[in-house]
PDB file of all heavy atoms in Angstrom:
ATOM      1  N   THR A  23     -38.594-204.590 -69.067  1.00  0.00           N
ATOM      2  CA  THR A  23     -37.257-204.174 -69.483  1.00  0.00           C
ATOM      3  C   THR A  23     -36.662-205.228 -70.412  1.00  0.00           C
ATOM      4  O   THR A  23     -36.994-206.408 -70.333  1.00  0.00           O
ATOM      5  CB  THR A  23     -36.328-203.974 -68.273  1.00  0.00           C
ATOM      6  OG1 THR A  23     -36.261-205.193 -67.517  1.00  0.00           O
ATOM      7  CG2 THR A  23     -36.844-202.859 -67.383  1.00  0.00           C
ATOM      8  N   ILE A  24     -35.764-204.770 -71.281  1.00  0.00           N
ATOM      9  CA  ILE A  24     -35.137-205.627 -72.284  1.00  0.00           C
ATOM     10  C   ILE A  24     -33.627-205.428 -72.211  1.00  0.00           C
ATOM     11  O   ILE A  24     -33.143-204.288 -72.179  1.00  0.00           O
ATOM     12  CB  ILE A  24     -35.624-205.274 -73.701  1.00  0.00           C
ATOM     13  CG1 ILE A  24     -37.159-205.285 -73.766  1.00  0.00           C
ATOM     14  CG2 ILE A  24     -35.032-206.220 -74.744  1.00  0.00           C
ATOM     15  CD1 ILE A  24     -37.718-204.611 -75.007  1.00  0.00           C
ATOM     16  N   GLY A  25     -32.863-206.517 -72.183  1.00  0.00           N
ATOM     17  CA  GLY A  25     -31.411-206.375 -72.152  1.00  0.00           C
ATOM     18  C   GLY A  25     -30.714-207.700 -71.934  1.00  0.00           C
ATOM     19  O   GLY A  25     -31.337-208.762 -71.910  1.00  0.00           O
ATOM     20  N   ARG A  26     -29.401-207.628 -71.754  1.00  0.00           N
ATOM     21  CA  ARG A  26     -28.584-208.830 -71.616  1.00  0.00           C
ATOM     22  C   ARG A  26     -28.587-209.389 -70.185  1.00  0.00           C
ATOM     23  O   ARG A  26     -28.367-210.573 -69.990  1.00  0.00           O
ATOM     24  CB  ARG A  26     -27.150-208.528 -72.062  1.00  0.00           C
ATOM     25  CG  ARG A  26     -26.338-209.790 -72.397  1.00  0.00           C
ATOM     26  CD  ARG A  26     -24.979-209.473 -72.986  1.00  0.00           C
ATOM     27  NE  ARG A  26     -24.084-208.865 -72.030  1.00  0.00           N
ATOM     28  CZ  ARG A  26     -23.685-207.593 -72.066  1.00  0.00           C
ATOM     29  NH1 ARG A  26     -24.124-206.799 -73.026  1.00  0.00           N
ATOM     30  NH2 ARG A  26     -22.871-207.101 -71.167  1.00  0.00           N
ATOM     31  N   ARG A  27     -28.826-208.538 -69.193  1.00  0.00           N
ATOM     32  CA  ARG A  27     -28.824-209.006 -67.810  1.00  0.00           C
ATOM     33  C   ARG A  27     -30.012-209.931 -67.546  1.00  0.00           C
ATOM     34  O   ARG A  27     -31.100-209.733 -68.080  1.00  0.00           O
ATOM     35  CB  ARG A  27     -28.900-207.818 -66.841  1.00  0.00           C
ATOM     36  CG  ARG A  27     -27.640-206.969 -66.811  1.00  0.00           C
ATOM     37  CD  ARG A  27     -27.824-205.800 -65.864  1.00  0.00           C
ATOM     38  NE  ARG A  27     -26.699-204.884 -65.900  1.00  0.00           N
ATOM     39  CZ  ARG A  27     -26.752-203.634 -65.461  1.00  0.00           C
ATOM     40  NH1 ARG A  27     -27.862-203.153 -64.951  1.00  0.00           N
ATOM     41  NH2 ARG A  27     -25.691-202.856 -65.538  1.00  0.00           N
ATOM     42  N   GLU A  28     -29.793-210.900 -66.680  1.00  0.00           N
ATOM     43  CA  GLU A  28     -30.839-211.870 -66.359  1.00  0.00           C
ATOM     44  C   GLU A  28     -31.984-211.256 -65.586  1.00  0.00           C
ATOM     45  O   GLU A  28     -33.068-211.845 -65.498  1.00  0.00           O
ATOM     46  CB  GLU A  28     -30.242-213.036 -65.568  1.00  0.00           C
ATOM     47  CG  GLU A  28     -29.285-213.900 -66.386  1.00  0.00           C
ATOM     48  CD  GLU A  28     -28.805-215.114 -65.623  1.00  0.00           C
ATOM     49  OE1 GLU A  28     -29.249-215.276 -64.457  1.00  0.00           O
ATOM     50  OE2 GLU A  28     -28.010-215.892 -66.181  1.00  0.00           O
ATOM     51  N   SER A  29     -31.794-210.056 -65.022  1.00  0.00           N
ATOM     52  CA  SER A  29     -32.853-209.399 -64.257  1.00  0.00           C
ATOM     53  C   SER A  29     -33.925-208.790 -65.159  1.00  0.00           C
ATOM     54  O   SER A  29     -34.972-208.363 -64.675  1.00  0.00           O
ATOM     55  CB  SER A  29     -32.255-208.307 -63.360  1.00  0.00           C
ATOM     56  OG  SER A  29     -31.538-207.359 -64.123  1.00  0.00           O
ATOM     57  N   ASN A  30     -33.664-208.725 -66.468  1.00  0.00           N
ATOM     58  CA  ASN A  30     -34.641-208.150 -67.398  1.00  0.00           C
ATOM     59  C   ASN A  30     -35.819-209.093 -67.607  1.00  0.00           C
ATOM     60  O   ASN A  30     -35.707-210.313 -67.434  1.00  0.00           O
ATOM     61  CB  ASN A  30     -33.979-207.862 -68.750  1.00  0.00           C
ATOM     62  CG  ASN A  30     -33.019-206.697 -68.681  1.00  0.00           C
ATOM     63  OD1 ASN A  30     -33.428-205.550 -68.552  1.00  0.00           O
ATOM     64  ND2 ASN A  30     -31.730-206.995 -68.762  1.00  0.00           N
ATOM     65  N   ASP A  31     -36.942-208.522 -68.016  1.00  0.00           N
ATOM     66  CA  ASP A  31     -38.118-209.327 -68.339  1.00  0.00           C
ATOM     67  C   ASP A  31     -37.896-210.086 -69.646  1.00  0.00           C
ATOM     68  O   ASP A  31     -38.327-211.223 -69.796  1.00  0.00           O
ATOM     69  CB  ASP A  31     -39.356-208.425 -68.454  1.00  0.00           C
ATOM     70  CG  ASP A  31     -39.646-207.703 -67.151  1.00  0.00           C
ATOM     71  OD1 ASP A  31     -40.076-208.364 -66.200  1.00  0.00           O
ATOM     72  OD2 ASP A  31     -39.420-206.482 -67.090  1.00  0.00           O
ATOM     73  N   ILE A  32     -37.253-209.428 -70.605  1.00  0.00           N
ATOM     74  CA  ILE A  32     -36.881-210.079 -71.860  1.00  0.00           C
ATOM     75  C   ILE A  32     -35.358-210.086 -71.937  1.00  0.00           C
ATOM     76  O   ILE A  32     -34.732-209.029 -72.063  1.00  0.00           O
ATOM     77  CB  ILE A  32     -37.481-209.356 -73.082  1.00  0.00           C
ATOM     78  CG1 ILE A  32     -39.012-209.358 -73.003  1.00  0.00           C
ATOM     79  CG2 ILE A  32     -37.020-210.025 -74.380  1.00  0.00           C
ATOM     80  CD1 ILE A  32     -39.683-208.619 -74.154  1.00  0.00           C
ATOM     81  N   VAL A  33     -34.779-211.261 -71.822  1.00  0.00           N
ATOM     82  CA  VAL A  33     -33.325-211.390 -71.813  1.00  0.00           C
ATOM     83  C   VAL A  33     -32.844-211.781 -73.205  1.00  0.00           C
ATOM     84  O   VAL A  33     -33.318-212.754 -73.789  1.00  0.00           O
ATOM     85  CB  VAL A  33     -32.862-212.448 -70.787  1.00  0.00           C
ATOM     86  CG1 VAL A  33     -31.346-212.594 -70.816  1.00  0.00           C
ATOM     87  CG2 VAL A  33     -33.345-212.071 -69.389  1.00  0.00           C
ATOM     88  N   ILE A  34     -31.898-210.985 -73.751  1.00  0.00           N
ATOM     89  CA  ILE A  34     -31.304-211.279 -75.055  1.00  0.00           C
ATOM     90  C   ILE A  34     -29.814-211.483 -74.842  1.00  0.00           C
ATOM     91  O   ILE A  34     -29.073-210.529 -74.570  1.00  0.00           O
ATOM     92  CB  ILE A  34     -31.554-210.143 -76.064  1.00  0.00           C
ATOM     93  CG1 ILE A  34     -33.061-209.895 -76.221  1.00  0.00           C
ATOM     94  CG2 ILE A  34     -30.919-210.476 -77.415  1.00  0.00           C
ATOM     95  CD1 ILE A  34     -33.396-208.741 -77.149  1.00  0.00           C
ATOM     96  N   GLU A  35     -29.369-212.709 -74.955  1.00  0.00           N
ATOM     97  CA  GLU A  35     -27.971-213.047 -74.696  1.00  0.00           C
ATOM     98  C   GLU A  35     -27.141-212.831 -75.948  1.00  0.00           C
ATOM     99  O   GLU A  35     -26.939-213.731 -76.747  1.00  0.00           O
ATOM    100  CB  GLU A  35     -27.881-214.494 -74.206  1.00  0.00           C
ATOM    101  CG  GLU A  35     -28.585-214.742 -72.886  1.00  0.00           C
ATOM    102  CD  GLU A  35     -28.474-216.179 -72.434  1.00  0.00           C
ATOM    103  OE1 GLU A  35     -27.878-216.986 -73.163  1.00  0.00           O
ATOM    104  OE2 GLU A  35     -28.987-216.499 -71.345  1.00  0.00           O
ATOM    105  N   ASN A  36     -26.683-211.598 -76.089  1.00  0.00           N
ATOM    106  CA  ASN A  36     -25.865-211.227 -77.241  1.00  0.00           C
ATOM    107  C   ASN A  36     -24.987-210.057 -76.833  1.00  0.00           C
ATOM    108  O   ASN A  36     -25.467-209.109 -76.196  1.00  0.00           O
ATOM    109  CB  ASN A  36     -26.771-210.847 -78.430  1.00  0.00           C
ATOM    110  CG  ASN A  36     -25.968-210.632 -79.704  1.00  0.00           C
ATOM    111  OD1 ASN A  36     -25.254-209.650 -79.840  1.00  0.00           O
ATOM    112  ND2 ASN A  36     -26.094-211.560 -80.649  1.00  0.00           N
ATOM    113  N   LEU A  37     -23.698-210.103 -77.175  1.00  0.00           N
ATOM    114  CA  LEU A  37     -22.767-209.064 -76.749  1.00  0.00           C
ATOM    115  C   LEU A  37     -23.083-207.696 -77.345  1.00  0.00           C
ATOM    116  O   LEU A  37     -22.619-206.674 -76.839  1.00  0.00           O
ATOM    117  CB  LEU A  37     -21.332-209.471 -77.110  1.00  0.00           C
ATOM    118  CG  LEU A  37     -20.773-210.665 -76.322  1.00  0.00           C
ATOM    119  CD1 LEU A  37     -19.380-211.017 -76.827  1.00  0.00           C
ATOM    120  CD2 LEU A  37     -20.749-210.372 -74.833  1.00  0.00           C
ATOM    121  N   ALA A  38     -23.870-207.658 -78.415  1.00  0.00           N
ATOM    122  CA  ALA A  38     -24.257-206.383 -79.019  1.00  0.00           C
ATOM    123  C   ALA A  38     -25.370-205.703 -78.230  1.00  0.00           C
ATOM    124  O   ALA A  38     -25.712-204.545 -78.486  1.00  0.00           O
ATOM    125  CB  ALA A  38     -24.700-206.591 -80.466  1.00  0.00           C
ATOM    126  N   VAL A  39     -25.943-206.422 -77.269  1.00  0.00           N
ATOM    127  CA  VAL A  39     -27.050-205.908 -76.466  1.00  0.00           C
ATOM    128  C   VAL A  39     -26.519-205.418 -75.121  1.00  0.00           C
ATOM    129  O   VAL A  39     -25.739-206.114 -74.462  1.00  0.00           O
ATOM    130  CB  VAL A  39     -28.109-207.021 -76.245  1.00  0.00           C
ATOM    131  CG1 VAL A  39     -29.261-206.500 -75.405  1.00  0.00           C
ATOM    132  CG2 VAL A  39     -28.616-207.544 -77.586  1.00  0.00           C
ATOM    133  N   SER A  40     -26.940-204.228 -74.714  1.00  0.00           N
ATOM    134  CA  SER A  40     -26.507-203.673 -73.432  1.00  0.00           C
ATOM    135  C   SER A  40     -27.194-204.394 -72.281  1.00  0.00           C
ATOM    136  O   SER A  40     -28.236-205.027 -72.460  1.00  0.00           O
ATOM    137  CB  SER A  40     -26.832-202.175 -73.367  1.00  0.00           C
ATOM    138  OG  SER A  40     -26.107-201.464 -74.356  1.00  0.00           O
ATOM    139  N   GLY A  41     -26.599-204.287 -71.082  1.00  0.00           N
ATOM    140  CA  GLY A  41     -27.171-204.934 -69.910  1.00  0.00           C
ATOM    141  C   GLY A  41     -28.610-204.516 -69.675  1.00  0.00           C
ATOM    142  O   GLY A  41     -29.491-205.333 -69.436  1.00  0.00           O
ATOM    143  N   MET A  42     -28.856-203.205 -69.697  1.00  0.00           N
ATOM    144  CA  MET A  42     -30.210-202.643 -69.666  1.00  0.00           C
ATOM    145  C   MET A  42     -30.359-201.869 -70.968  1.00  0.00           C
ATOM    146  O   MET A  42     -29.903-200.729 -71.077  1.00  0.00           O
ATOM    147  CB  MET A  42     -30.389-201.731 -68.459  1.00  0.00           C
ATOM    148  CG  MET A  42     -30.342-202.453 -67.125  1.00  0.00           C
ATOM    149  SD  MET A  42     -31.764-203.523 -66.866  1.00  0.00           S
ATOM    150  CE  MET A  42     -33.068-202.309 -66.774  1.00  0.00           C
ATOM    151  N   HIS A  43     -30.961-202.465 -71.973  1.00  0.00           N
ATOM    152  CA  HIS A  43     -30.930-201.905 -73.327  1.00  0.00           C
ATOM    153  C   HIS A  43     -32.128-201.000 -73.618  1.00  0.00           C
ATOM    154  O   HIS A  43     -31.979-199.895 -74.151  1.00  0.00           O
ATOM    155  CB  HIS A  43     -30.884-203.041 -74.350  1.00  0.00           C
ATOM    156  CG  HIS A  43     -30.468-202.609 -75.710  1.00  0.00           C
ATOM    157  ND1 HIS A  43     -29.214-202.859 -76.233  1.00  0.00           N
ATOM    158  CD2 HIS A  43     -31.137-201.936 -76.675  1.00  0.00           C
ATOM    159  CE1 HIS A  43     -29.132-202.348 -77.454  1.00  0.00           C
ATOM    160  NE2 HIS A  43     -30.299-201.787 -77.744  1.00  0.00           N
ATOM    161  N   ALA A  44     -33.328-201.466 -73.290  1.00  0.00           N
ATOM    162  CA  ALA A  44     -34.542-200.713 -73.592  1.00  0.00           C
ATOM    163  C   ALA A  44     -35.646-201.122 -72.634  1.00  0.00           C
ATOM    164  O   ALA A  44     -35.517-202.088 -71.876  1.00  0.00           O
ATOM    165  CB  ALA A  44     -34.975-200.956 -75.039  1.00  0.00           C
ATOM    166  N   LYS A  45     -36.741-200.367 -72.643  1.00  0.00           N
ATOM    167  CA  LYS A  45     -37.900-200.732 -71.830  1.00  0.00           C
ATOM    168  C   LYS A  45     -39.167-200.382 -72.587  1.00  0.00           C
ATOM    169  O   LYS A  45     -39.171-199.564 -73.518  1.00  0.00           O
ATOM    170  CB  LYS A  45     -37.884-200.003 -70.481  1.00  0.00           C
ATOM    171  CG  LYS A  45     -38.075-198.485 -70.561  1.00  0.00           C
ATOM    172  CD  LYS A  45     -38.195-197.881 -69.169  1.00  0.00           C
ATOM    173  CE  LYS A  45     -38.424-196.369 -69.251  1.00  0.00           C
ATOM    174  NZ  LYS A  45     -38.718-195.785 -67.923  1.00  0.00           N
ATOM    175  N   VAL A  46     -40.270-201.025 -72.187  1.00  0.00           N
ATOM    176  CA  VAL A  46     -41.577-200.737 -72.751  1.00  0.00           C
ATOM    177  C   VAL A  46     -42.500-200.389 -71.588  1.00  0.00           C
ATOM    178  O   VAL A  46     -42.699-201.204 -70.681  1.00  0.00           O
ATOM    179  CB  VAL A  46     -42.150-201.930 -73.540  1.00  0.00           C
ATOM    180  CG1 VAL A  46     -43.552-201.608 -74.046  1.00  0.00           C
ATOM    181  CG2 VAL A  46     -41.240-202.285 -74.706  1.00  0.00           C
ATOM    182  N   ASP A  47     -43.043-199.172 -71.602  1.00  0.00           N
ATOM    183  CA  ASP A  47     -43.943-198.723 -70.550  1.00  0.00           C
ATOM    184  C   ASP A  47     -45.383-198.783 -71.034  1.00  0.00           C
ATOM    185  O   ASP A  47     -45.698-198.343 -72.147  1.00  0.00           O
ATOM    186  CB  ASP A  47     -43.621-197.284 -70.138  1.00  0.00           C
ATOM    187  CG  ASP A  47     -42.271-197.163 -69.452  1.00  0.00           C
ATOM    188  OD1 ASP A  47     -42.006-197.958 -68.541  1.00  0.00           O
ATOM    189  OD2 ASP A  47     -41.486-196.271 -69.832  1.00  0.00           O
ATOM    190  N   SER A  48     -46.264-199.312 -70.190  1.00  0.00           N
ATOM    191  CA  SER A  48     -47.696-199.324 -70.475  1.00  0.00           C
ATOM    192  C   SER A  48     -48.288-198.026 -69.971  1.00  0.00           C
ATOM    193  O   SER A  48     -48.305-197.767 -68.763  1.00  0.00           O
ATOM    194  CB  SER A  48     -48.355-200.520 -69.771  1.00  0.00           C
ATOM    195  OG  SER A  48     -49.753-200.439 -69.860  1.00  0.00           O
ATOM    196  N   ILE A  49     -48.755-197.179 -70.898  1.00  0.00           N
ATOM    197  CA  ILE A  49     -49.263-195.851 -70.544  1.00  0.00           C
ATOM    198  C   ILE A  49     -50.599-195.621 -71.229  1.00  0.00           C
ATOM    199  O   ILE A  49     -50.672-195.553 -72.464  1.00  0.00           O
ATOM    200  CB  ILE A  49     -48.274-194.739 -70.952  1.00  0.00           C
ATOM    201  CG1 ILE A  49     -46.886-194.989 -70.348  1.00  0.00           C
ATOM    202  CG2 ILE A  49     -48.807-193.374 -70.546  1.00  0.00           C
ATOM    203  CD1 ILE A  49     -45.821-194.036 -70.849  1.00  0.00           C
ATOM    204  N   ASP A  50     -51.665-195.504 -70.432  1.00  0.00           N
ATOM    205  CA  ASP A  50     -53.003-195.216 -70.977  1.00  0.00           C
ATOM    206  C   ASP A  50     -53.351-196.110 -72.164  1.00  0.00           C
ATOM    207  O   ASP A  50     -53.746-195.638 -73.222  1.00  0.00           O
ATOM    208  CB  ASP A  50     -53.101-193.744 -71.391  1.00  0.00           C
ATOM    209  CG  ASP A  50     -52.976-192.805 -70.208  1.00  0.00           C
ATOM    210  OD1 ASP A  50     -53.293-193.238 -69.083  1.00  0.00           O
ATOM    211  OD2 ASP A  50     -52.561-191.652 -70.410  1.00  0.00           O
ATOM    212  N   LYS A  51     -53.179-197.409 -71.978  1.00  0.00           N
ATOM    213  CA  LYS A  51     -53.509-198.428 -72.972  1.00  0.00           C
ATOM    214  C   LYS A  51     -52.556-198.454 -74.167  1.00  0.00           C
ATOM    215  O   LYS A  51     -52.689-199.285 -75.060  1.00  0.00           O
ATOM    216  CB  LYS A  51     -54.955-198.283 -73.463  1.00  0.00           C
ATOM    217  CG  LYS A  51     -55.981-198.527 -72.366  1.00  0.00           C
ATOM    218  CD  LYS A  51     -57.398-198.506 -72.942  1.00  0.00           C
ATOM    219  CE  LYS A  51     -58.419-198.790 -71.843  1.00  0.00           C
ATOM    220  NZ  LYS A  51     -59.799-198.810 -72.370  1.00  0.00           N
ATOM    221  N   GLY A  52     -51.580-197.525 -74.205  1.00  0.00           N
ATOM    222  CA  GLY A  52     -50.555-197.532 -75.242  1.00  0.00           C
ATOM    223  C   GLY A  52     -49.262-198.102 -74.690  1.00  0.00           C
ATOM    224  O   GLY A  52     -49.112-198.286 -73.473  1.00  0.00           O
ATOM    225  N   TYR A  53     -48.322-198.392 -75.595  1.00  0.00           N
ATOM    226  CA  TYR A  53     -47.052-198.989 -75.178  1.00  0.00           C
ATOM    227  C   TYR A  53     -45.897-198.177 -75.764  1.00  0.00           C
ATOM    228  O   TYR A  53     -45.739-198.089 -76.979  1.00  0.00           O
ATOM    229  CB  TYR A  53     -46.981-200.449 -75.618  1.00  0.00           C
ATOM    230  CG  TYR A  53     -48.004-201.291 -74.898  1.00  0.00           C
ATOM    231  CD1 TYR A  53     -49.297-201.437 -75.403  1.00  0.00           C
ATOM    232  CD2 TYR A  53     -47.704-201.890 -73.684  1.00  0.00           C
ATOM    233  CE1 TYR A  53     -50.256-202.168 -74.718  1.00  0.00           C
ATOM    234  CE2 TYR A  53     -48.656-202.626 -72.986  1.00  0.00           C
ATOM    235  CZ  TYR A  53     -49.923-202.760 -73.511  1.00  0.00           C
ATOM    236  OH  TYR A  53     -50.873-203.477 -72.829  1.00  0.00           O
ATOM    237  N   LEU A  54     -45.129-197.569 -74.855  1.00  0.00           N
ATOM    238  CA  LEU A  54     -44.048-196.674 -75.249  1.00  0.00           C
ATOM    239  C   LEU A  54     -42.704-197.366 -75.090  1.00  0.00           C
ATOM    240  O   LEU A  54     -42.307-197.755 -73.990  1.00  0.00           O
ATOM    241  CB  LEU A  54     -44.076-195.402 -74.399  1.00  0.00           C
ATOM    242  CG  LEU A  54     -43.000-194.356 -74.707  1.00  0.00           C
ATOM    243  CD1 LEU A  54     -43.211-193.774 -76.105  1.00  0.00           C
ATOM    244  CD2 LEU A  54     -43.013-193.237 -73.672  1.00  0.00           C
ATOM    245  N   LEU A  55     -41.987-197.514 -76.204  1.00  0.00           N
ATOM    246  CA  LEU A  55     -40.641-198.089 -76.212  1.00  0.00           C
ATOM    247  C   LEU A  55     -39.628-196.980 -75.978  1.00  0.00           C
ATOM    248  O   LEU A  55     -39.696-195.924 -76.618  1.00  0.00           O
ATOM    249  CB  LEU A  55     -40.375-198.767 -77.559  1.00  0.00           C
ATOM    250  CG  LEU A  55     -38.944-199.236 -77.824  1.00  0.00           C
ATOM    251  CD1 LEU A  55     -38.619-200.465 -76.985  1.00  0.00           C
ATOM    252  CD2 LEU A  55     -38.738-199.522 -79.315  1.00  0.00           C
ATOM    253  N   THR A  56     -38.677-197.209 -75.072  1.00  0.00           N
ATOM    254  CA  THR A  56     -37.638-196.221 -74.774  1.00  0.00           C
ATOM    255  C   THR A  56     -36.269-196.891 -74.792  1.00  0.00           C
ATOM    256  O   THR A  56     -36.070-197.918 -74.140  1.00  0.00           O
ATOM    257  CB  THR A  56     -37.855-195.578 -73.391  1.00  0.00           C
ATOM    258  OG1 THR A  56     -39.139-194.971 -73.342  1.00  0.00           O
ATOM    259  CG2 THR A  56     -36.793-194.510 -73.116  1.00  0.00           C
TER     260      THR A  56
END
């Protein structure tokens, strides 16, 4: 997960970034950004 909250795997400390902004799922060797 990607976002401003410290619980995310990738933390981006910027007010323009939502607490839980996006995620990347590993699916059948591919990587889906949502």
Side-chain angles (χ1 to χ4, degrees):
T23 58
I24 307 165
R26 199 173 69 250
R27 291 178 186 161
E28 292 185 1
S29 57
N30 289 289
D31 299 289
I32 299 178
V33 179
I34 302 177
E35 297 180 358
N36 188 288
L37 292 177
V39 180
S40 296
M42 293 291 294
H43 196 105
K45 67 174 182 173
V46 177
D47 293 312
S48 171
I49 305 173
D50 296 335
K51 295 186 178 181
Y53 294 88
L54 180 66
L55 171 73
T56 302

